[in-house]
Amino acid sequence: MRKIDYTKYPLPRIRHHANPVLYFPLKQHKGSNFIYPPVFDSLNWKEFFADGKPPVMLDIGCGLGRFLIETSLDEPGKNILGFEVRQSAVEWIDGVISGEDLPNVKALWYSAVNGLAFIETGTIEKVFYFFPDPWVKKKHYKRRAFSVEMLAEIYRVLSKDGKLYLMTDVPEVDEFQQEVLSGFGKFTFKYYEKSEWDLNIMTNHEEFCTRKKIPFIRMVCIKK
Ligand SMILES: C[S@@+](CC[C@H](N)C(=O)[O-])C[C@H]1O[C@@H](n2cnc3c(N)ncnc32)[C@H](O)[C@@H]1O
């Protein structure tokens, strides 16, 4: 697989978190006195991918995009779309994408809590939701994007054999996600060992955990 020299793309100062309003759906906000990523009902895929076709993989909360970019190199015939709420991270990723002329990958400045209306039902093979911000303080739980509403959207866009992949190094997040999955009820889910995991590419945070020997879980959710 082609290797990218990321040192050609100096990272800007990227804040750890975005403005808190961005973690809540736009429709919950009154007024317009804040900057918020656009919310779309439809997207023109010709503006996103060289073949003009829709994505078949989604990376929700793609961070600095290592997994997103390298998965696009690993699966050149498939389009992958990442969502990220921090605009500077998206701009950096899109700089790498255009600098390297990558045809099948795009990062979108978007808060995933607004749903996936612009994705056709039953068209997605894989949804990745890796190492979400943990928001461990009780008063911040509401900032977690993982909810029954989001699962319903993921369930809708996944194809019959589609899979939702999860990883986290925070046990409370794993427990919380399992509660939400059980409440939603339409996915079976189980832990995977590294040897059973069918993804070759590591995310930025997975690489960090691996290097620091921080344990984390891998889970795959399948439509019942
Ligand atoms: C801890 S980072 C993990 C990034 C990447 N998935 C990885 O494994 O390296 C979590 C990312 O999710 C993004 N995020 C949090 N809430 C989001 C939301 N509602 N919509 C889109 N991205 C979100 C954060 O800005 C952050 O970049």
Side-chain angles (χ1 to χ4, degrees):
M1 193 176 86
R2 172 176 156 194
K3 282 247 175 282
I4 289 184
D5 175 9
Y6 292 102
T7 61
K8 286 196 296 190
Y9 305 96
L11 275 173
R13 207 172 141 259
I14 297 179
R15 289 169 57 172
H16 205 58
H17 294 304
N19 181 340
V21 296
L22 272 56
Y23 300 106
F24 298 94
L26 180 61
K27 62 179 183 226
Q28 281 183 16
H29 299 304
K30 293 197 175 74
S32 55
N33 193 16
F34 54 88
I35 295 170
Y36 195 93
V39 174
F40 315 90
D41 283 332
S42 66
L43 289 170
N44 181 358
W45 301 118
K46 290 192 185 110
E47 290 169 9
F48 281 55
F49 304 114
D51 66 4
K53 292 184 182 160
V56 293
M57 294 180 281
L58 304 177
D59 185 5
I60 300 178
C62 61
L64 284 173
R66 173 180 166 159
F67 178 83
L68 180 77
I69 290 170
E70 294 181 10
T71 299
S72 82
L73 295 172
D74 197 40
E75 304 229 38
K78 297 185 175 187
N79 292 337
I80 179 165
L81 179 64
F83 303 122
E84 174 51 54
V85 88
R86 289 178 300 166
Q87 192 171 17
S88 45
V90 172
E91 286 167 357
W92 184 80
I93 297 170
D94 281 338
V96 178
I97 292 172
S98 57
E100 300 295 321
D101 206 12
L102 305 177
N104 60 328
V105 54
K106 171 82 182 160
L108 187 63
W109 184 41
Y110 185 69
S111 180
V113 290
N114 292 290
L116 301 170
F118 46 88
I119 304 285
E120 287 278 327
T121 299
T123 58
I124 300 294
E125 296 171 10
K126 295 174 183 175
V127 175
F128 310 110
Y129 188 68
F130 291 149
F131 300 99
D133 294 330
W135 302 120
V136 282
K137 287 187 189 156
K138 204 167 178 191
K139 66 175 181 183
H140 290 156
Y141 284 1
K142 284 188 290 192
R143 295 185 189 179
R144 291 176 178 167
F146 201 87
S147 64
V148 166
E149 292 75 22
M150 189 172 92
L151 279 181
E153 277 291 80
I154 293 173
Y155 184 88
R156 179 184 67 76
V157 300
L158 278 175
S159 59
K160 191 168 146 287
D161 303 318
K163 293 178 187 170
L164 166 63
Y165 292 77
L166 305 175
M167 285 193 275
T168 178
D169 54 336
V170 182
E172 295 98 302
V173 169
D174 177 32
E175 210 174 293
F176 167 78
Q177 291 184 166
Q178 291 198 48
E179 275 169 27
V180 178
L181 279 160
S182 300
F184 179 63
K186 293 185 180 179
F187 283 107
T188 57
F189 48 95
K190 80 175 184 82
Y191 291 124
Y192 274 53
E193 295 299 328
K194 170 117 182 100
S195 57
E196 305 165 299
W197 195 239
D198 60 357
L199 306 177
N200 311 318
I201 312 293
M202 280 203 203
T203 78
N204 296 83
H205 197 77
E206 180 181 4
E207 198 272 328
F208 169 82
C209 289
T210 305
R211 195 160 24 88
K212 299 275 180 191
K213 301 198 177 357
I214 298 168
F216 59 93
I217 63 95
R218 298 180 176 86
M219 181 173 276
V220 177
C221 312
I222 293 173
K223 287 170 104 168
K224 282 185 182 167

